[in-house]
Amino acid sequence: MPKASHHDLRFAFRELLASGSCYHTASVFDPMSARIAADLGFEVGILGGSVASLQVLAAPDFALITLSEFVEQATRIGRVAQLPVLADADHGYGNALNVMRTVIELERAGVAALTIEDTLLPAQFGRKSTDLISVEEGVGKIRAALEARVDSALAIIARTNAGVLTTEEIIVRTQSYQKAGADGICMVGVKDFEQLEQISEHLSVPLMLVTYANPNLRDDERLARLGVRIVVDGHAAYFAAIKATYDCLRQQRGQQHKSDNLGATELSHTYTQPEDYIRWAKEYMSVEE
């Protein structure tokens, strides 16, 4: 079977957006996982920013990974992927000009689509990691992303955090990004179908939801009717890999009967050492005037 080109995969992703169905992403984090996902019949994969931070740096999701590191991982996946891969490009690694660079590099890496979010990153000391930039700055980033792409098949998806906004604010933001030319709108934090219905009736572009398996949003047919084409349930595959590595090495060292048999979430917390980063942030970023 001939290998699909990057343009072919982008076109395939466009077909998913134009369909009347809802598709769940496979979390892909290296070439092997991308091949497995394609072989199992997944229609689309996603390289998450938080997963890339774990995979490349063993660091928590504190916006520590650089564009070049993220692109390197995306490139490794892009060399072998035979399913469209959507890249979580965070905030574009800076301002609108940085977003242009991000799009250029990720397009060369072979991704089929990417999300640009309006989160204020990296988070300022003492501020919530869910603070958002202004709508105007978010619009500027989307317009810059569209200007930077060469292959028009590459999908640029605007992402916002619906969990920290009122429904009215969500509608204003998402309509603004749609008007700016975004190929789709991604939302994290949508509470339930009632809220989704209120938002979706104001939008005409395809929708993407990051649900983390929210039980209030588990009806694929209903999601599809409301324009949702892509659903991200989370990144269970990568956390399962962490757990499998831990269990295998424990057994190899003859420690399988120890009482500290940690779960995947506990393992991630233990080995990313977030307390160190929090302490460093307080020590080096807490500026007293």
Side-chain angles (χ1 to χ4, degrees):
M1 185 175 182
K3 188 176 186 295
S5 69
H6 293 156
H7 179 78
D8 292 336
L9 295 173
R10 289 167 189 154
F11 185 76
F13 184 79
R14 291 275 183 173
E15 289 187 318
L16 298 182
L17 294 184
S19 74
S21 300
C22 177
Y23 301 92
H24 292 256
T25 59
S27 181
V28 298
F29 44 87
D30 63 7
M32 184 67 77
S33 61
R35 280 182 170 162
I36 291 171
D39 186 60
L40 292 175
F42 277 89
E43 294 84 4
V44 59
I46 183 169
L47 173 60
S50 59
V51 169
S53 184
L54 288 169
Q55 177 83 348
V56 176
L57 302 176
D61 190 19
F62 290 169
L64 298 170
I65 192 168
T66 64
L67 171 61
S68 58
E69 290 168 328
F70 186 76
V71 168
E72 285 172 1
Q73 197 66 2
T75 301
R76 295 183 186 105
I77 294 170
R79 288 192 189 109
V80 306
Q82 287 297 282
L83 80 170
V85 174
L86 193 159
D88 169 11
D90 285 342
H91 65 320
Y93 297 91
N95 60 29
L97 300 183
N98 297 111
V99 167
M100 297 182 80
R101 172 77 190 282
T102 296
V103 170
I104 290 168
E105 298 298 337
L106 285 175
E107 182 174 336
R108 288 174 177 170
V111 303
L114 57 91
T115 58
I116 299 291
E117 64 188 78
D118 55 10
T119 312
L120 180 62
L121 294 174
Q124 298 174 356
F125 181 77
R127 299 288 298 176
K128 295 179 180 178
S129 60
T130 52
D131 286 348
L132 304 183
I133 59 178
S134 69
V135 176
E136 292 76 16
E137 186 177 357
V139 165
K141 286 190 172 187
I142 297 306
R143 292 178 59 226
L146 295 168
E147 171 71 21
R149 73 179 174 192
V150 175
D151 186 351
S152 60
L154 176 71
I156 306 295
I157 299 175
R159 170 174 161 166
T160 194
N161 191 330
V164 300
L165 298 168
T166 66
T167 300
E168 291 73 21
E169 290 171 327
I170 300 167
I171 291 169
V172 169
R173 278 190 180 255
T174 53
Q175 281 189 317
S176 297
Y177 299 153
Q178 175 178 275
K179 186 177 180 181
D183 297 304
I185 300 293
C186 174
M187 291 177 286
V188 59
V190 174
K191 294 181 294 185
D192 51 34
F193 276 108
E194 181 180 357
Q195 185 183 35
L196 179 59
E197 288 173 354
Q198 293 173 13
I199 298 167
S200 65
E201 68 179 355
H202 295 277
L203 299 170
S204 58
V205 294
L207 303 182
M208 170 179 167
L209 293 184
V210 182
T211 67
Y212 296 110
N214 179 351
N216 297 318
L217 293 166
R218 281 188 175 170
D219 186 333
D220 283 356
E221 290 186 3
R222 191 173 178 186
L223 288 171
R225 287 197 299 272
L226 293 173
V228 177
R229 298 293 172 257
I230 307 294
V231 173
V232 181
D233 299 309
H235 301 287
Y238 185 69
F239 290 100
I242 293 174
K243 173 64 172 169
T245 300
Y246 176 74
D247 288 344
C248 179
L249 293 178
R250 281 177 80 234
Q251 184 174 10
Q252 186 177 339
R253 290 294 292 177
Q255 298 179 9
Q256 64 267 36
H257 301 300
K258 283 181 64 177
S259 59
D260 62 340
N261 187 16
L262 303 177
T265 300
E266 296 170 299
L267 288 167
S268 176
H269 183 87
T270 297
Y271 293 114
T272 57
Q273 303 172 342
E275 294 83 1
D276 286 342
Y277 291 95
I278 293 169
R279 175 172 56 82
W280 293 329
K282 186 174 183 180
E283 183 171 352
Y284 305 125
M285 296 168 58
S286 179
V287 179
E288 297 182 5
E289 297 181 356

